[in-house]
Amino acid sequence: MSKIRIGIVGYGNLGKGVELAIRSNPDMTLAFVATRRAPETVTLQTAGIPVYRYADLAAHQNDADVVIVCGGSATDLPEQTPALAKLFNVVDSFDTHARIPEHFANVDAAAKETGHVAMISVGWDPGMFSLARLYGNCILPDGKDYTFWGKGVSQGHSDAIRRVEGVQDGKQYTVPSESAMAAVRSGAQPELTTRQKHTRECYVVAKPGADLAKIEQDIKTMPNYFSDYDTTVHFISQEELNRDHSGIPHGGFVMRSGVTGVNGEHKHLIEYSLKLDSNPEFTTNVLVAFARAAARFAAEGTSGCKTVFDVPPAYLSPLSGDVLRAKML
Amino acid sequence: MSKIRIGIVGYGNLGKGVELAIRSNPDMTLAFVATRRAPETVTLQTAGIPVYRYADLAAHQNDADVVIVCGGSATDLPEQTPALAKLFNVVDSFDTHARIPEHFANVDAAAKETGHVAMISVGWDPGMFSLARLYGNCILPDGKDYTFWGKGVSQGHSDAIRRVEGVQDGKQYTVPSESAMAAVRSGAQPELTTRQKHTRECYVVAKPGADLAKIEQDIKTMPNYFSDYDTTVHFISQEELNRDHSGIPHGGFVMRSGVTGVNGEHKHLIEYSLKLDSNPEFTTNVLVAFARAAARFAAEGTSGCKTVFDVPPAYLSPLSGDVLRAKML
């Protein structure tokens, strides 16, 4: 069998993660990387792979079976995924939950027009967490959903800290509340807002001579970001920040608490959790598995936009149905 | 839209659980129950539902959209599921892992012959745990699987206790080892046998005047069942056993520990767990959700045998793709 040829569009954290993930999937090969930068300024981790200009991709339409679009959800993907779906089978990690229906419609139209398969919002949330929510809801219809995020780095909150006067550098962790999780695990089905479910931990490097008390006050009272949370601020040196907080860990928990029986007398808890050393590398591993499914849908002649909800789990695996049933069922 | 008409074959714990589960799924209705017992001896929990003889089911072929086969895996399902797949779309919970390929082949042939859809091995293990293993393997190809069962009642081990001389009654719980789970969660990827992963807890009612020390010794040294495990024996009264150990709880944990990065420097843990007050009622809730998928496959004209690996998750839900994307993705 010939290998699935993967193209990468965008060479930031995600693009680099896809490049590494392909190495762990022997049925795949990296076809090319495309970028909006000048190709000659981009150095890949893999020798002998061409780097194309984003604007020139139409000339390379036959060079990849699936293209993984590694841009940001704010401005890149709403434009790039529909455009690329006219040229390739595509997979993206669009994660602006509120705009998913709109993005789906745009990508679906483009993909159907040209007979391609497109998969959007692939990753862990949306993605694997969405699957955990869907399976949980279908199995325990009399129940309640809970999603907790963390412990992990929030880029938006870290940026917000760094804009505070007197701050040189900083990093923010979103931390799920142990007591809120314990309440859910008890089967009590409490009403909890996102804010009750999480606390915020800030590691801050102050500029020389800055007023630490004022920085702490400014962070803790910042509207939208911190004012409604239980926030802790730790002042550390730049060396400590670089040494101990340079990673991009993340994770979280999806819980479905439900009941069965004549009068709901039996409680059940389904829990799905992730603990990730590298948020982007885990996301790209998910993208690559779903790229395999996209190739399979395309080989079947299917077209249009799909999400993780539409993919038979067996399509994610390089193994045959026989082997999966014998070894994994 | 008309409701999905569900037939139940076999009216033990599973059959009764399916009957209750249908009440929580407003798009479904109970069509009939069939039994090998004399129908007039069977009293349902639902008024107005016909009880048919198993042998007469051919006459009721048009009365159900999907039949859930609620027999045992040892002798009932290998015979009943292929036979019923010639009459109906069927779902079963066949759970003898080693014999799944053989059962699949038999059911597939019967279902294809008559254009029906059949789903086998639906439940939590095999079933939801199989899905957790498959997703985990596809997302973290460089990794290792761990399945822990419990804390829960093992029927086979409870039966074994009750056969010991001097024992009046007894119940056995399989308990996952906290230290083994902690080792896996650390990312160390230890080699663990099933035996290292579990301990066994026995609650025993001794006959009057029985030799307790001998009972404990006989249990702890029983080959295959207890001799290779760390087993504890608690003697209690029949009243205590009835009061505190009459339930059928179960559950467990599926973990996938894997690495990504240039040299596997980033560790990731995916964990899926269940904590169930009623093992049979949870299993039947899974069966009912997959019966919905069977009805959808049948409506599409698909036939043959399928497992949980072949089902797009969206097929388990009564909600439309639009709603799922807007609310759950």
Side-chain angles (χ1 to χ4, degrees):
Chain A
M1 266 186 52
S2 61
K3 293 191 176 195
I4 301 167
R5 299 167 306 158
I6 304 287
I8 295 172
V9 172
Y11 197 65
N13 278 340
L14 281 185
K16 289 172 187 167
V18 169
E19 183 182 16
L20 293 179
I22 290 170
R23 297 182 187 176
S24 300
N25 290 278
D27 61 331
M28 299 188 172
T29 182
L30 177 56
F32 61 77
V33 171
T35 171
R36 286 175 302 192
R37 290 179 271 168
E40 59 276 17
T41 66
V42 173
T43 306
L44 305 187
Q45 303 164 94
T46 315
I49 302 297
V51 180
Y52 300 136
R53 275 174 213 284
Y54 179 75
D56 295 343
L57 274 174
H60 302 286
Q61 218 186 331
N62 298 319
D63 297 355
D65 299 306
V66 182
V67 158
I68 301 179
V69 196
C70 298
S73 295
T75 55
D76 299 334
L77 298 178
E79 182 201 310
Q80 294 182 345
T81 307
L84 290 166
K86 293 188 183 175
L87 302 173
F88 300 97
N89 302 307
V90 295
V91 182
D92 82 14
S93 61
F94 185 77
D95 67 0
T96 311
H97 290 260
R99 295 186 61 196
I100 286 174
E102 175 192 346
H103 188 56
F104 182 90
N106 293 339
V107 174
D108 191 49
K112 281 192 175 138
E113 190 186 317
T114 52
H116 289 110
V117 174
M119 273 185 210
I120 63 160
S121 301
V122 172
W124 61 270
D125 197 357
M128 299 314 298
F129 273 19
S130 319
L131 284 169
R133 287 188 284 264
L134 176 57
Y135 280 118
N137 273 266
C138 295
I139 293 171
L140 293 173
D142 292 337
K144 216 162 146 44
D145 285 321
Y146 298 88
T147 303
F148 296 88
W149 293 277
K151 181 180 176 178
V153 172
S154 163
Q155 211 49 64
H157 289 81
S158 298
D159 291 345
I161 289 175
R162 289 189 288 259
R163 287 192 298 263
V164 169
E165 193 189 327
V167 169
Q168 175 173 305
D169 203 349
K171 204 115 178 201
Q172 194 264 187
Y173 295 90
T174 303
V175 183
S177 156
E178 286 295 337
S179 62
M181 289 203 289
V184 174
R185 288 179 180 135
S186 77
Q189 298 195 16
E191 291 290 339
L192 297 167
T193 62
T194 302
R195 287 165 179 183
Q196 291 173 308
K197 292 190 295 178
H198 301 91
T199 60
R200 302 204 171 278
E201 253 181 56
C202 308
Y203 291 85
V204 178
V205 181
K207 287 179 182 162
D211 179 344
L212 302 191
K214 184 168 184 305
I215 290 175
E216 179 165 351
Q217 175 71 5
D218 286 354
I219 291 173
K220 287 186 167 178
T221 58
M222 195 188 297
N224 302 320
Y225 286 90
F226 296 102
S227 63
D228 297 311
Y229 290 86
D230 184 359
T231 300
T232 51
V233 176
H234 308 276
F235 288 100
I236 59 176
S237 68
Q238 186 71 54
E239 292 67 34
E240 287 170 313
L241 190 81
N242 296 350
R243 186 191 65 206
D244 302 333
H245 302 281
S246 63
I248 319 175
H250 220 311
F253 303 79
V254 175
M255 301 183 191
R256 178 74 179 178
S257 173
V259 297
T260 64
V262 178
N263 294 303
E265 66 274 23
H266 294 134
K267 293 177 179 176
H268 305 277
L269 183 76
I270 307 174
E271 182 167 337
Y272 181 82
S273 69
L274 297 174
K275 196 174 146 221
L276 314 174
D277 273 1
S278 166
N279 183 353
E281 284 181 6
F282 186 82
T283 300
T284 53
N285 269 38
V286 180
L287 283 163
V288 164
F290 280 85
R292 182 179 291 117
R296 182 144 166 196
F297 275 123
E300 290 175 353
T302 304
S303 70
C305 191
K306 298 187 175 292
T307 74
V308 295
F309 294 160
D310 303 309
V311 179
Y315 280 28
L316 304 174
S317 172
L319 303 175
S320 72
D322 279 350
V323 174
L324 290 180
R325 284 188 293 273
K327 304 277 181 204
M328 232 172 272
L329 197 62
Chain B
M1 264 186 51
S2 61
K3 294 192 177 193
I4 301 167
R5 300 167 306 158
I6 304 287
I8 294 172
V9 172
Y11 197 64
N13 277 339
L14 282 185
K16 288 172 188 166
V18 169
E19 183 181 16
L20 293 178
I22 290 170
R23 296 181 187 174
S24 299
N25 290 278
D27 61 331
M28 298 189 175
T29 180
L30 177 56
F32 61 76
V33 171
T35 171
R36 284 175 301 191
R37 290 179 271 168
E40 59 275 16
T41 66
V42 173
T43 306
L44 304 187
Q45 304 163 92
T46 315
I49 301 297
V51 180
Y52 300 137
R53 276 175 213 283
Y54 178 75
D56 296 343
L57 274 173
H60 302 287
Q61 219 188 330
N62 298 319
D63 297 355
D65 299 306
V66 182
V67 158
I68 301 180
V69 195
C70 297
S73 295
T75 56
D76 300 336
L77 299 178
E79 182 202 308
Q80 293 182 347
T81 308
L84 290 166
K86 293 188 181 176
L87 301 172
F88 300 97
N89 302 306
V90 295
V91 182
D92 82 15
S93 61
F94 185 77
D95 66 0
T96 311
H97 290 260
R99 296 186 61 195
I100 286 173
E102 174 192 345
H103 188 55
F104 183 90
N106 292 339
V107 174
D108 192 50
K112 282 192 175 138
E113 190 186 316
T114 52
H116 290 109
V117 175
M119 274 185 207
I120 63 159
S121 303
V122 173
W124 61 272
D125 196 359
M128 300 314 298
F129 273 19
S130 320
L131 284 168
R133 287 188 284 263
L134 175 57
Y135 280 118
N137 273 266
C138 297
I139 293 170
L140 293 174
D142 292 336
K144 217 162 144 44
D145 286 320
Y146 297 89
T147 302
F148 295 89
W149 293 277
K151 181 180 177 178
V153 172
S154 162
Q155 212 50 62
H157 288 80
S158 299
D159 291 344
I161 289 174
R162 288 189 288 259
R163 287 191 299 263
V164 169
E165 194 190 325
V167 169
Q168 176 174 304
D169 204 349
K171 205 114 177 200
Q172 193 265 184
Y173 295 90
T174 303
V175 183
S177 155
E178 287 296 336
S179 62
M181 290 202 289
V184 174
R185 287 178 181 134
S186 77
Q189 299 197 14
E191 291 290 339
L192 297 168
T193 63
T194 302
R195 287 165 180 183
Q196 290 174 309
K197 293 190 296 179
H198 301 92
T199 60
R200 303 203 170 279
E201 252 181 57
C202 307
Y203 291 84
V204 178
V205 181
K207 288 178 182 164
D211 179 345
L212 302 193
K214 183 167 184 308
I215 290 175
E216 181 166 349
Q217 176 71 3
D218 286 354
I219 292 173
K220 287 185 168 179
T221 58
M222 195 186 300
N224 301 321
Y225 286 89
F226 296 101
S227 62
D228 296 312
Y229 290 87
D230 185 359
T231 301
T232 51
V233 175
H234 308 277
F235 288 99
I236 60 174
S237 68
Q238 186 71 54
E239 291 66 36
E240 287 170 313
L241 190 80
N242 296 349
R243 186 191 66 207
D244 302 333
H245 302 281
S246 63
I248 319 176
H250 220 310
F253 303 78
V254 175
M255 301 183 191
R256 178 76 179 176
S257 173
V259 297
T260 63
V262 178
N263 294 303
E265 66 274 22
H266 294 133
K267 293 177 181 178
H268 306 277
L269 184 77
I270 308 174
E271 182 168 337
Y272 181 83
S273 69
L274 298 174
K275 197 175 144 217
L276 314 174
D277 273 1
S278 166
N279 183 353
E281 284 180 8
F282 186 81
T283 300
T284 52
N285 269 39
V286 180
L287 283 163
V288 164
F290 280 86
R292 181 179 291 116
R296 184 146 164 196
F297 275 123
E300 290 175 354
T302 304
S303 70
C305 191
K306 297 186 175 294
T307 74
V308 295
F309 294 160
D310 304 307
V311 179
Y315 280 29
L316 304 173
S317 173
L319 303 174
S320 71
D322 279 351
V323 175
L324 290 181
R325 284 187 294 273
K327 305 278 180 202
M328 232 171 272
L329 198 62

